[in-house]
Amino acid sequence: MSKIIVVGSSNTDMVIQSERIPRPGETILGGSFFMNPGGKGANQAVAAARLGGDVHFICKVGQDVFGDMARQQFENEGMHTEFVMSDANLPSGVALINVDAKGENSITVASGANGALHTTDIDQAEAIFESGDVLLIQLETPLETVWHAIKKAHKNGLKVILNPAPAAKIPDEIYPYIYTLTPNETETELLTGVSIDSLAKAQEAAHILLNKGLKHLIITMGSQGAYYQSAETKLFIPTKPVQAVDTTAAGDCFNGALAVSISQAKEWEPAIQFACEAATRSVTKMGAQASMPYLADLA
């Protein structure tokens, strides 16, 4: 099997579902509470593992109950956990999530040990970079570490998928190292200054990013679908309409599924269709990792 390396965050999500998301200074009663494993890196790693990927996850957790639970969860999912590292001084990451009746959400994250994932931690995993095929990475860990991992992956011939979330600027020097960039509409606007309100605007933004040395761009457009562009090809892949329950980790599911497809050398259209199908399935369930579908669910 092709080896997928995921570098990123691991959090415990504490979720309150209520009729609507409270305004500043407002208290809303009557919500329901549950707790789920989350974090963009962990979500994407779990999605890739459930969809058939051979996943090696690199992250950092605290020496606490949340960290112990996360490590056990990753092992239960069949992921390789030799580089799930522990920090003795910081707690595991936590996210507080409000979800409204329409499935929309607001999220506040306390990064904890995720903020202590350093370049030296990436260097400890040199052996799996030397034998890996795909790197999937996001921006919930220190940016210096992210750029270091991307350069290491590129040096070793891995295909790098960068999901630029949470939204942040990317240094121009990094774009040539990226095989595929997967921003949503908001992240695309931050990176290009172009508001994505039509396919024409998506093409305009794509032109800007491809001119920076990027090879492939996929703009995820929520319930509409995804737009792909390279130097040779333009594609729009629509999604099937569903009743959304919780959109919390739909983008993470998309990226995990895409990593599996790229590791299997699928053509772009079926690869993106597979990712859209997985993400669409994920919004029909509550939770982050809890909503990630298995390969059998998409048959």
Side-chain angles (χ1 to χ4, degrees):
M1 290 178 67
S2 296
K3 184 183 297 181
I4 300 169
I5 301 170
V6 181
V7 175
S9 57
S10 173
N11 292 323
T12 298
D13 291 348
M14 299 185 182
V15 184
I16 293 181
Q17 187 177 27
S18 56
E19 185 63 27
R20 59 183 174 82
I21 295 170
R23 295 186 295 270
E26 181 183 22
T27 299
I28 294 178
L29 300 178
S32 58
F33 172 79
F34 60 95
M35 192 166 67
N36 267 327
K40 297 194 72 63
N43 295 344
Q44 294 179 15
V46 168
R50 290 186 179 182
L51 294 169
D54 181 24
V55 177
H56 293 249
F57 188 33
I58 301 173
C59 72
K60 187 168 280 187
V61 297
Q63 293 182 358
D64 51 32
V65 63
F66 294 134
D68 293 342
M69 289 167 56
R71 189 186 304 274
Q72 186 61 57
Q73 164 76 3
F74 303 149
E75 292 175 357
N76 292 346
E77 297 289 351
M79 293 155 51
H80 302 275
T81 60
E82 64 268 38
F83 293 108
V84 174
M85 292 166 271
S86 297
D87 191 289
N89 300 312
L90 291 168
S92 298
V94 171
L96 303 180
I97 303 175
N98 286 104
V99 181
D100 70 15
K102 297 178 181 178
E104 295 299 325
N105 62 72
S106 67
I107 305 173
T108 304
V109 177
S111 295
N114 293 305
L117 185 67
H118 300 307
T119 58
T120 51
D121 298 317
I122 302 301
D123 290 339
Q124 287 185 45
E126 184 72 38
I128 62 169
F129 276 85
E130 290 175 351
S131 60
D133 298 283
V134 174
L135 170 69
L136 174 58
I137 193 165
Q138 331 73 34
L139 304 180
E140 269 191 344
T141 50
L143 295 182
E144 179 187 9
T145 305
V146 173
W147 311 144
H148 184 73
I150 288 173
K151 290 177 179 179
K152 183 181 291 290
H154 184 267
K155 181 187 74 173
N156 284 285
L158 280 73
K159 293 178 176 178
V160 176
I161 305 170
L162 173 59
N163 176 222
K169 289 287 188 179
I170 299 171
D172 283 352
E173 65 169 293
I174 296 295
Y175 283 99
Y177 296 102
I178 301 169
Y179 182 70
T180 311
L181 188 72
T182 60
N184 64 19
E185 295 150 302
T186 301
E187 292 148 6
T188 303
E189 183 173 357
L190 175 70
L191 295 173
T192 66
V194 178
S195 177
I196 310 302
D197 55 12
S198 66
L199 286 181
K201 289 294 187 180
Q203 292 176 17
E204 181 182 340
H207 181 73
I208 293 171
L209 294 172
L210 292 171
N211 280 346
K212 292 178 180 287
L214 182 67
K215 298 173 182 66
H216 305 275
L217 174 70
I218 302 171
I219 301 174
T220 56
M221 303 175 72
S223 60
Q224 297 178 68
Y227 175 75
Y228 166 85
Q229 188 166 323
S230 67
E232 301 82 21
T233 307
K234 298 175 183 178
L235 291 170
F236 178 70
I237 308 296
T239 58
K240 297 177 182 178
V242 295
Q243 180 63 48
V245 174
D246 182 6
T247 61
T248 300
D252 296 334
C253 186
F254 181 96
N255 280 276
L258 182 69
V260 173
S261 290
I262 289 176
S263 76
Q264 296 170 347
K266 287 185 179 180
E267 296 293 326
W268 283 107
E269 187 166 1
I272 297 169
Q273 285 175 336
F274 178 71
C276 284
E277 183 180 356
T280 299
R281 186 64 177 254
S282 76
V283 304
T284 64
K285 294 183 179 180
M286 287 294 297
Q289 290 168 38
S291 71
M292 299 300 165
Y294 292 89
L295 190 58
D297 296 330
L298 306 183

